[in-house]
């Protein structure tokens, strides 16, 4: 699907969708629990459908809308039939969370995916598997793992993806002895691990974390069934924050100000780009606002915020914004350092790409008048839509349906807020 956007400011109240990151975590915990769980405010994005589908393959029962989940019948150390191939769609969270879970529950599992998913690195797990005697193989797009996880020490990098740590944190409490996770590097995306620890605690699973590099996990734990509500998603809210920073009168509602979501950092990044007093709190001297100013934002703990923050930075006149510590964006749904640069520059921005960072020279408006690709990446398509607000000519985005991965109603909400959109020449 292609959409063409006629540049126009947005206005109105907007409630972002439920948090995809929290939903993954609560669905998996519910599917491992000892009874029925009722989850409210579930949004059936393609990634969440993938997690529900895979948990059904692992013997949990889940309603079609994901609101009622009965925990799986956990095995008790005996060999269990291997599940059929689990289709993870394009969800890295689904794949990486469930590889250890399948080994703990079944002693084996086969996984497939689409897009770039099966090309994304799994080496942190493979290094562990070599040490633990777990076999793996790859045939075409299917990854198969086989072997029982055993209690013990799990040494793993903390700077590739927090998803590997989350996968272990879900699986290790199911083992028949105590385990520890030792991080061999500094932990990045700490907020996502905090969300995992919060979800486990809600289901009665105890993990001791020293706040640095060691997690201690008791074995023989039971996930206790719970009824919970998925909170609003700060990651997708970030696109509306970017629009607000461009002058759109938006009332962003339904977010938890005390959330564990790491992407709450969008509030601080927004302030650094848009608010003088809050900029001072972020470390910039007031004098730097005379003439062009420079803002450096560390994205190591919130890499998913780079597309919306980049759009806002590109349209913050008089400001040079350096988004640093973002190398992991190269292994997302697209190489986001490259695709952010390509799309924004095509629109008329001035973005410089470096191995692990972007330098963005803000200006008052962009030329637009071009067709850009969504790169089969939901965050790139949404970034282009937000940047189009301040373009001087219409912008066409190809493959715009990719937003379904995390925000199925994005285009509908964009139009409701006053956005002028045409899909294949049909008015929305």
């Amino acid at each position: 699907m292609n959409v063409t956007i006629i540049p126009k400011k947005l206005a109105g109240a907007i409630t972002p969708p439920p948090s995809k990151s929290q939903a993954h975590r609560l669905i998996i915990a519910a599917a491992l629990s000892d009874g029925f769980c009722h989850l409210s405010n579930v949004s059936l994005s393609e990634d969440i459908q993938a997690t529900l589908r895979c948990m059904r393959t692992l013997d949990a029962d889940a309603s079609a809308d994901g609101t009622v989940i009965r925990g799986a019948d956990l095995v008790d150390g005996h060999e269990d039939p291997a599940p059929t191939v689990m289709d993870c769609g394009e969800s890295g969270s689904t794949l990486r969370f469930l590889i250890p879970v399948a080994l703990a529950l079944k002693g084996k599992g086969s996984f497939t995916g689409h897009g770039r998913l099966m090309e994304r690195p799994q080496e942190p797990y493979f290094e562990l598997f070599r040490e633990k005697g777990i076999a793996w193989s790859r045939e075409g797009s299917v990854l198969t793992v086989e072997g029982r996880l055993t209690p013990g020490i799990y040494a793993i990098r903390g700077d590739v993806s927090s998803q590997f740590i989350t996968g272990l944190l879900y699986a290790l409490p199911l083992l028949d002895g105590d385990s520890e996770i030792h991080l061999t590097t500094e932990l990045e995306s700490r907020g996502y691990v905090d969300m995992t620890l919060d979800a486990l605690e809600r289901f009665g699973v105890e993990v001791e974390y020293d706040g640095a590099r060691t997690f201690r996990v008791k074995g023989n734990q039971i996930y206790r069934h719970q009824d919970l509500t998925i909170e609003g998603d700060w990651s997708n809210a970030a696109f509306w924050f970017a629009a607000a920073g461009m002058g759109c009168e938006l009332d962003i509602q339904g977010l938890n100000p005390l959330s564990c979501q790491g992407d709450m950092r969008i509030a601080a990044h927004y302030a650094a780009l848009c608010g003088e007093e809050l900029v001072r709190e972020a470390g910039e001297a007031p004098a730097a606002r005379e003439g062009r100013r420079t803002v450096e934002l560390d994205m190591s703990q919130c890499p998913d915020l780079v597309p919306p923050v980049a759009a806002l930075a590109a349209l913050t006149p008089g400001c040079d914004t350096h988004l640093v510590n973002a190398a992991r964006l190269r292994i997302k749904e697209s190489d986001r350092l490259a695709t952010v640069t390509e799309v924004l520059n095509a629109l008329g921005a001035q973005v410089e790409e470096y191995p692990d960072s972007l330098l963005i020279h803000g200006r008052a408006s962009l030329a637009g008048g071009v067709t850009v690709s969504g790169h089969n990446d939901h965050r790139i398509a949404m970034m282009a839509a937000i940047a189009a607000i301040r373009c001087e000519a219409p912008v066409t985005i190809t493959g715009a349906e990719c937003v379904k991965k995390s925000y199925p109603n994005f285009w509908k909400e964009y139009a409701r807020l006053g956005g002028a959109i045409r899909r294949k020449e049909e008015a929305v």
Side-chain angles (χ1 to χ4, degrees):
M1 177 184 75
N2 300 341
V3 301
T4 298
I5 299 173
I6 312 302
K8 184 181 178 183
K9 284 187 179 181
L10 309 180
I14 180 68
T15 300
S19 168
K20 180 167 68 80
S21 296
Q22 188 184 57
H24 280 303
R25 289 160 171 79
L26 296 187
I27 286 169
I28 294 172
L32 296 174
S33 75
D34 60 353
F36 282 93
C37 302
H38 295 262
L39 301 181
S40 304
N41 199 32
V42 178
S43 175
L44 290 179
S45 65
E46 290 182 340
D47 280 11
I48 294 306
Q49 292 183 56
T51 290
L52 288 166
R53 182 168 61 240
C54 290
M55 296 315 298
R56 292 187 191 105
T57 304
L58 288 171
D59 297 336
D61 289 338
S63 60
D65 61 3
T67 59
V68 181
I69 298 175
R70 180 187 65 82
D73 293 324
L74 304 187
V75 299
D76 187 22
H78 59 273
E79 289 300 318
D80 201 63
T84 57
V85 175
M86 286 173 270
D87 184 354
C88 301
E90 295 186 32
S91 174
S93 294
T94 304
L95 175 63
R96 289 170 174 166
F97 291 178
L98 294 187
I99 287 174
V101 170
L103 291 172
L105 292 178
K106 305 288 186 180
K108 59 189 74 175
S110 294
F111 303 85
T112 191
H114 309 282
R116 283 176 26 123
L117 179 62
M118 302 311 291
E119 301 170 13
R120 294 167 69 177
Q122 309 301 329
E123 192 59 27
Y125 278 154
F126 296 161
E127 291 175 1
L128 281 178
F129 294 167
R130 281 190 278 269
E131 177 186 339
K132 301 294 184 181
I134 293 171
W136 77 91
S137 62
R138 170 96 176 262
E139 294 186 13
S141 64
V142 177
L143 170 67
T144 298
V145 294
E146 185 168 1
R148 288 282 177 186
L149 290 185
T150 56
I153 303 297
Y154 288 77
I156 192 167
R157 296 179 64 93
D159 61 351
V160 177
S161 172
S162 64
Q163 293 168 349
F164 298 110
I165 299 159
T166 286
L168 291 171
L169 287 171
Y170 273 99
L172 296 182
L174 303 173
L175 305 185
D176 60 4
D178 299 347
S179 300
E180 293 185 4
I181 301 172
H182 290 176
L183 303 184
T184 59
T185 68
E186 293 295 325
L187 175 61
E188 295 189 5
S189 294
R190 164 72 184 268
Y192 289 106
V193 174
D194 288 340
M195 291 182 69
T196 300
L197 296 175
D198 178 70
L200 293 173
E201 182 179 5
R202 289 169 183 254
F203 283 82
V205 174
E206 297 181 9
V207 176
E208 180 184 338
Y209 177 41
D210 68 358
R213 297 196 180 190
T214 302
F215 300 82
R216 295 179 176 85
V217 186
K218 293 181 179 179
N220 296 304
Q221 295 196 62
I222 297 174
Y223 286 77
R224 302 297 184 185
H225 62 279
Q226 299 292 327
D227 297 340
L228 297 167
T229 299
I230 311 297
E231 64 185 36
D233 184 27
W234 282 90
S235 300
N236 281 323
F239 292 97
W240 306 121
F241 274 90
M246 296 175 192
C248 296
E249 296 183 3
L250 297 178
D251 179 11
I252 305 170
Q253 303 177 345
L255 295 170
N256 177 9
L258 301 177
S259 174
C260 292
Q261 295 178 54
D263 285 347
M264 274 188 65
R265 285 177 175 81
I266 185 57
H269 293 340
Y270 172 93
L273 292 171
C274 302
E276 181 173 324
E277 290 190 7
L278 291 172
V279 167
R280 271 205 301 276
E281 293 176 9
E284 183 191 355
R289 295 186 64 86
E290 299 176 4
R292 290 198 72 85
R293 60 192 178 100
T294 300
V295 173
E296 181 176 288
L297 301 176
D298 184 351
M299 310 305 291
S300 63
Q301 301 299 324
C302 52
D304 284 345
L305 292 184
V306 166
V309 171
L312 177 57
L315 286 155
T316 302
C319 183
D320 298 324
T321 304
H322 199 190
L323 307 182
V324 301
N325 298 324
R328 285 179 299 135
L329 286 171
R330 296 200 182 277
I331 57 173
K332 295 288 188 175
E333 286 84 344
S334 68
D335 176 345
R336 284 188 183 151
L337 289 181
T339 54
V340 166
T341 302
E342 175 191 321
V343 170
L344 289 179
N345 283 348
L347 295 177
Q350 187 179 356
V351 182
E352 299 175 26
E353 177 188 349
Y354 297 95
D356 65 349
S357 66
L358 299 175
L359 180 58
I360 304 169
H361 305 284
R363 52 186 57 179
S365 64
L366 305 180
V370 295
T371 295
V372 296
S373 173
H375 289 282
N376 196 36
D377 188 331
H378 53 135
R379 300 194 194 280
I380 297 301
M382 290 189 283
M383 177 196 73
I386 297 302
I389 293 169
R390 290 266 291 277
C391 285
E392 296 170 0
V395 173
T396 297
I397 304 167
T398 64
E401 71 278 2
C402 62
V403 301
K404 294 187 295 184
K405 187 176 193 297
S406 66
Y407 202 159
N409 291 330
F410 177 78
W411 297 117
K412 180 178 179 181
E413 292 289 72
Y414 192 99
R416 183 183 62 79
L417 293 169
I421 307 177
R422 292 186 181 277
R423 302 187 197 187
K424 295 182 179 179
E425 305 305 321
E426 294 293 330
V428 176

